[in-house]
Amino acid sequence: MSEQSTPPPGPAPSLTEVLGTVEQLWPLHLQEPWDASGLVTGRPDQPVRRILFAVDPVADVVAEAVSTGADLLVTHHPLLLRGVTSVAADGFKGAVVHELIEHRCALLACHTNADSAPDGVSDAVARAAGLTTTTPLVPHPADPAVGIGRVGDLAQPVPLRELARRLADAVPPTAHGVRVAGDPDALVRRVAVCGGAGDSLFDAVRAAGADVYVTADLRHHPASEAREAAVGPGADGTPYLVDLSHFASEWLWLPVGAAALRDALAARGHDVQVEVSERRSDPWDFRIDHPVRDRSVADPAAPTAGGPR
């Protein structure tokens, strides 16, 4: 019996073909008006055999893309969100642009368009929380079926502590950890989520009747005022808050997005290797926890200071 040879890979798509596929998955018209999603570097006709997904286009991630031979780096966050007058390599953003161009690696940002689109960032957070059916928290004006954030009901109510633990187990570990505001034993069922910084959406969260709001980057004053409103006169204590690391909340989408793009390209006859970066681009490296003197500021389930960890 003769050996079976491995069939040659299909033709590599051009960058233009990949961008067309991306547009079907995460249309640019869904991005917010202030956003800067889209192509940053790359020639339209260059072939794309290898794609790397990451949250941030930082130097370490770009170095990984270059070292692995990626033809395209897809990041959630844009490199040039605000206007610049120079991309000279003596600045950190300019250095990234030069590294990408010199190694013929294109850079594409899928930011708020990937937040709003189906199976986007907030859908990934919703699944990690245990939600199976959701609706947009803030529907997009052009298409109410999609939009920023998601809200839905858990199959069964769970204690707030259990929901927070479920999310902590799902996201990559960071120095930020998972912060929670609310009674750890309170049962929650209706959950609102927004991957990334979501403290501008509290009115929508309250209007949706959410028991708990899962988001990231909660600043002191918006979080404090949200909790004051929740426990003030006539209030019932909700929504409780679960605050994830910005990086960790959005990382959840990377495997989903990578698989969606790989499958969509394969359906068009293209065999493209699509991978997820293993670099942690969360800016914080470590934290120092306080000794547990006041259990009101610690995990109620945690041991007291000096006990086993």
Side-chain angles (χ1 to χ4, degrees):
M1 180 181 294
S2 61
E3 288 188 10
Q4 291 185 342
S5 60
T6 302
S14 67
L15 179 58
T16 296
E17 291 176 285
V18 174
L19 294 179
T21 305
V22 167
E23 177 65 17
Q24 292 186 331
L25 295 170
W26 312 295
L28 272 177
H29 75 267
L30 294 182
Q31 73 172 323
E32 295 298 296
W34 50 264
D35 198 8
S37 295
L39 190 65
V40 181
T41 66
R43 294 183 181 275
D45 59 349
Q46 73 181 71
V48 176
R49 280 281 185 202
R50 189 167 191 155
I51 300 173
L52 183 68
F53 270 68
V55 175
D56 297 291
V58 295
D60 280 352
V61 169
V62 170
E64 180 186 8
V66 167
S67 67
T68 57
D71 304 300
L72 171 62
L73 172 61
V74 178
T75 61
H76 183 54
H77 290 145
L79 175 65
L80 305 173
L81 183 58
R82 296 176 178 84
V84 298
T85 58
S86 171
V87 290
D90 58 355
F92 69 92
K93 290 196 176 186
V96 162
V97 170
H98 280 258
E99 187 76 2
L100 289 164
I101 292 174
E102 290 164 5
H103 290 88
R104 301 184 64 83
C105 181
L107 172 62
L108 173 68
C110 294
H111 193 208
T112 54
N113 53 322
D115 287 327
S116 287
D119 282 331
V121 174
S122 287
D123 280 321
V125 178
R127 279 192 294 271
L131 299 173
T132 55
T133 303
T134 62
T135 57
L137 186 60
V138 180
H140 194 277
D143 184 356
V146 298
I148 297 295
R150 297 291 185 267
V151 62
D153 295 324
L154 298 171
Q156 298 293 333
V158 300
L160 177 60
R161 179 196 288 108
E162 180 178 329
L163 176 65
R165 171 50 58 191
R166 182 182 299 171
L167 289 159
D169 290 343
V171 299
T174 61
H176 176 287
V178 176
R179 302 187 299 181
V180 186
D183 178 356
D185 297 317
L187 293 179
V188 296
R189 182 162 195 168
R190 190 156 181 79
V191 182
V193 307
C194 178
D199 61 16
S200 64
L201 304 182
F202 278 121
D203 287 343
V205 171
R206 285 186 283 264
D211 300 318
V212 57
Y213 182 33
V214 180
T215 187
D217 260 0
L218 284 177
R219 295 171 295 163
H220 173 84
H221 291 293
S224 175
E225 290 173 5
R227 290 305 297 147
E228 287 292 293
V231 299
D236 62 3
T238 61
Y240 304 120
L241 306 177
V242 177
D243 184 41
L244 308 173
S245 150
H246 191 125
F247 159 81
S249 72
E250 293 175 329
W251 185 94
L252 290 171
W253 171 71
L254 299 185
V256 177
L261 183 55
R262 182 190 306 113
D263 292 347
L265 290 171
R268 290 162 174 76
H270 300 301
D271 181 16
V272 179
Q273 188 170 354
V274 187
E275 300 173 330
V276 173
S277 172
E278 295 184 0
R279 298 293 192 275
R280 179 178 59 84
S281 57
D282 186 88
W284 303 104
D285 294 314
F286 66 95
R287 77 168 187 229
I288 305 297
D289 289 329
H290 297 283
V292 182
R293 297 190 181 95
D294 180 357
R295 293 186 65 82
S296 67
V297 297
D299 179 351
T304 58
R309 300 299 298 176

